[in-house]
């Protein structure tokens, strides 16, 4: 290296150091709020841990809080939980408290027939076995079949069920594509009201959806877990290697992939024309073909494509060049490919902590008992009681409360903590979304600063500062935590509203109100568009924050107007980038999926003896395909961030510099040639 080059290299390093030195913290207020929210989130986790009991997630509990099948209790030989009225399990409290708001009792077996309490009263006089069968699902000690049912001593109705996850759930059977229970699609409840099997299905879904998915997934891997896990890991490693090679090869194949795709589109259109030709056959009179609608549609589409390519050829070439330049930048700063590991760790921590709090909050509900009395003058009616000590209190012996009982009322609690469980779950969800978006914002800002250091280096790669990824990460954490938190907060609010709208839509499905459904659909569409817009603008705002170190609002405004001044270039570049990356994801995930299919179906003769025998081979295949797609997505997200950063730097370079000796361009020589611009040589 010549002395002049050494001095220039030293000058660039000093300049970058001064930029870091004189940067100031941005959005300090939002940084303080974000810190307080994290501390509050930790406190919420401690409170949930003190009140919750995660055993309720695995072991069912009856209305007295006792675990079914627990040794040393009256439920030792009753390992299955039975719901008196499973139709009540569609209440949202099921997902909040992990308990269905109906009386629950441990039984030794599930019912296998339809019956109601009214039918039992009519038939027990003629058939004692009918009463004996029905009584096993009533509360212990109940032996009066003639009693009017009002204290939930017995279920008002039983349906054919089978034990699943130690819970009695309706025995659904599909006959000719129709879901039935005991060959019925409709039945009558205790009030002789017609009910549908779909209602039972909806209730069972609410009660055991998450446990069902987890158990089915684990059971499919249990027998051959080790070999299947090794095979899946190998498939994911292959997808990782192919993703890396694909990104590096885009430096040479971006243009080839683009023009190949255009030719493929034209061939598909030609095939459409061939289908029209097949209808009329070969004709010597061309007027016949001109009368076909397909001919004119294909002609207009192909003409539109050619016109777009003619008028946008320079912008298409510029986009392809930026794609190549992004691949070159990643090849010079290979450490950026490993940054998603840090993001993955942060997201894993966020998801685990959110799940921890959600489970402990949901399992902190307790059975609440109220005093019920036939005498309305009893002063203790609806007051809280303890069923174990109730008959030793003065309430049961009071003259005004004769015949009073301590009966199960609902799950939850009467403390301020239990009354706020729903709000706490909502807060848990909101902070989770905020932390997830902050983790992604940190990745975007770090990568943007890294790739910006590549673009603004006068000589590439000599003038790229050492450890650019670490320097950019340090700047993002040290100076711009508040800006990243502010952007993540805005996006999280939009996402929370979308989730609330989805929840409301589920709750209003049974309501036949066209206006409400229409309004919900419009609101969902608006918030979906808003979320997409915010996500896009946040990404570009983080790029400007990483480059110039300004606050979030200023960076977002500058990024927005810079993009508006280059709207056509933005449209072309975004569409090309999205298409090429989507093509890469499909090729990688599809290729790995095909290999996995041939492996698990014994279609590869060389390794047939090593293939595990699985009843459901599609589960590991789907696991490999989804994992390969996610790995490709993580790699290609880096590439997309690199393209976006280089594009913003390129647009800013065109506006700030003019190619003179005082303001030289920093773009690559290839972009110089496409734009017809060059630096003036002294």
């Amino acid at each position: 290296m010549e002395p002049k080059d050494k001095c220039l290299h030293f000058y660039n390093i000093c300049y970058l150091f001064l930029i870091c030195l004189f940067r100031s913290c941005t959005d300090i207020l939002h940084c303080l709020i974000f810190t307080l929210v994290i501390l509050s989130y930790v406190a919420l986790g401690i409170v949930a841990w003190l009140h919750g009991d995660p055993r309720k997630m695995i072991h069912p509990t009856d209305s007295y809080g006792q675990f079914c099948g627990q040794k040393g209790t009256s439920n030792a030989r009753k390992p299955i939980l039975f719901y008196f009225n499973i139709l009540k399990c569609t209440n949202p409290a099921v997902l909040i408290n992990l308990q269905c708001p109906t009386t629950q009792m441990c039984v030794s077996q599930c019912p296998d027939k339809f019956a109601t309490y009214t039918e039992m009263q009519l038939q027990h006089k003629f058939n004692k076995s009918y009463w004996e069968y029905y009584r096993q699902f009533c509360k212990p000690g109940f032996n009066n079949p003639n009693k009017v049912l009002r204290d939930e001593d017995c279920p008002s109705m039983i349906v054919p069920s089978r034990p699943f996850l130690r819970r009695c759930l309706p025995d659904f059977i599909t006959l000719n594509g129709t879901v039935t229970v005991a060959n019925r699609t409709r039945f009558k409840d205790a009030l002789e009201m017609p009910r549908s099997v779909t209602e039972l299905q909806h209730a069972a879904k609410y009660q055991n959806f998450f446990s069902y998915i987890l158990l089915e997934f684990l059971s499919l891997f249990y027998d051959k877990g080790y070999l299947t896990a090794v095979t899946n890991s190998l498939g994911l490693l292959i997808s990782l290697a192919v993703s890396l090679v694909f990104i590096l090869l885009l430096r040479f194949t971006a243009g080839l992939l683009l023009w190949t795709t255009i030719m493929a589109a034209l061939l598909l259109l030609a095939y459409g024309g061939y289908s029209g030709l097949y209808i009329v056959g070969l004709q010597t009179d061309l007027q016949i073909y001109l009368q076909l609608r397909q001919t004119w549609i294909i002609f207009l589409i192909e003409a539109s494509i050619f016109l777009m390519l003619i008028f946008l050829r320079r912008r298409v070439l510029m986009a392809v060049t930026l794609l190549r330049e992004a691949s070159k930048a990643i090849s010079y700063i290979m450490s950026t490919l490993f940054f998603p590991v840090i993001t993955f760790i942060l997201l894993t921590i966020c998801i685990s902590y959110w799940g921890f709090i959600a489970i402990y909050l949901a399992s902190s509900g307790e059975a609440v008992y109220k005093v019920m009395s036939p005498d309305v003058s009893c002063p203790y009616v609806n007051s809280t009681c303890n069923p174990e000590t109730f008959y030793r209190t003065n309430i049961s012996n009071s003259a005004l409360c004769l015949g009073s009982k301590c009966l199960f009322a609902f799950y939850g609690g009467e403390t301020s903590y239990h009354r706020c469980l729903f709000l706490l779950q909502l807060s848990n969800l909101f902070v989770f979304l905020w932390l997830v978006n902050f983790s992604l914002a940190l990745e975007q800002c770090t990568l943007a600063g890294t790739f910006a250091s590549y673009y603004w280096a006068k000589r590439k790669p000599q003038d790229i500062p050492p450890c650019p990824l670490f320097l950019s990460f340090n700047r993002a954490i040290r100076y711009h935590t508040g800006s990243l938190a502010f952007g993540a907060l805005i996006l999280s609010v939009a996402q929370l509203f979308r989730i609330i709208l989805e929840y409301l839509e589920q709750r209003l499905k049974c309501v036949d109100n066209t206006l409400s459904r229409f309004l919900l659909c419009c609101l969902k569409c608006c918030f979906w568009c808003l979320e997409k817009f915010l996500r896009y603008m946040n990404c570009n705002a983080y790029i400007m924050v990483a480059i110039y170190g300004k606050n979030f609002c200023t960076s977002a405004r500058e990024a927005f107007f810079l993009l508006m001044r280059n709207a056509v270039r933005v449209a072309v570049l975004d569409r090309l980038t999205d298409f090429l990356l989507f093509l890469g994801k499909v090729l990688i995930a599809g290729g790995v999926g095909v290999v996995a299919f041939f492996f698990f179906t014994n279609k590869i003769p060389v390794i047939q003896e090593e293939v595990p025998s699985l009843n459901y081979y599609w589960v590991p295949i789907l696991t490999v395909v989804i994992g390969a797609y996610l790995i490709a997505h993580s790699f290609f997200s880096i590439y997309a961030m690199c393209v976006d950063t280089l594009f913003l730097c390129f647009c800013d370079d065109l506006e700030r510099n003019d190619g003179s000796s005082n303001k030289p361009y920093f773009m690559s020589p290839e972009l110089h040639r496409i734009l017809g611009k060059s630096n003036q040589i002294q």
Side-chain angles (χ1 to χ4, degrees), residues 408-423:
F408 167 79
F410 57 89
Y411 276 98
E414 296 191 327
T415 64
S416 57
Y417 168 78
H418 290 97
R419 284 195 293 268
C420 296
L421 274 179
F422 179 77
L423 293 178

Side-chain angles (χ1 to χ4, degrees), residues 213-229:
I213 295 297
L214 180 62
L215 187 70
E216 282 291 304
F217 186 80
L218 294 178
S219 64
L220 292 172
F221 284 93
Y222 184 77
D223 294 334
K224 302 291 182 179
Y226 174 75
L227 189 55
T228 306

Side-chain angles (χ1 to χ4, degrees), residues 227-265:
L227 189 55
T228 306
V230 172
T231 306
N232 290 343
S233 300
L234 182 61
L236 297 180
L237 287 175
I238 293 174
S239 63
L240 187 148
V242 174
S243 300
L244 177 60
V245 172
F246 186 86
I247 288 178
L248 297 179
L249 287 180
L250 277 178
R251 178 176 177 180
F252 309 102
T253 61
L256 177 63
L257 284 174
L258 174 64
W259 299 117
T260 303
T261 306
I262 293 175
M263 292 302 298

Side-chain angles (χ1 to χ4, degrees), residues 5-17:
D5 295 335
K6 290 182 179 179
C7 292
L8 184 59
H9 181 60
F10 177 75
Y11 167 77
N12 287 328
I13 293 177
C14 292
Y15 175 72
L16 291 171
F17 174 76

Side-chain angles (χ1 to χ4, degrees), residues 545-599:
V545 168
I547 296 174
Y548 298 110
K550 298 180 182 180
N551 61 50
F552 178 81
C553 292
T554 303
S555 300
R557 184 179 66 251
E558 292 181 354
F560 176 77
F561 287 113
L562 183 61
L563 292 173
M564 288 298 99
R565 291 191 295 270
N566 298 272
V568 179
R569 289 172 177 168
V570 171
V572 174
L573 180 66
D574 282 350
R575 297 288 70 80
L576 287 180
T577 304
D578 292 344
F579 172 75
L580 289 179
L581 296 186
F582 174 75
L583 182 63
K585 294 174 189 177
V586 171
L587 288 176
I588 293 171
V592 173
V594 170
V595 174
F597 174 79
F598 282 111
F599 175 80

Side-chain angles (χ1 to χ4, degrees), residues 592-641:
V592 173
V594 170
V595 174
F597 174 79
F598 282 111
F599 175 80
F600 286 110
T601 54
N602 296 315
K603 298 295 177 60
I604 304 178
V606 181
I607 53 175
Q608 282 186 349
E609 297 180 357
E610 304 295 331
V611 178
S613 57
L614 297 173
N615 295 325
Y616 305 97
Y617 60 82
W618 55 268
V619 173
I621 293 175
L622 286 179
T623 304
V624 171
V625 171
I626 294 173
Y629 185 86
L630 293 176
I631 289 175
H633 177 75
S634 65
F635 274 97
F636 292 164
S637 64
I638 300 172
Y639 186 80
M641 194 66 200

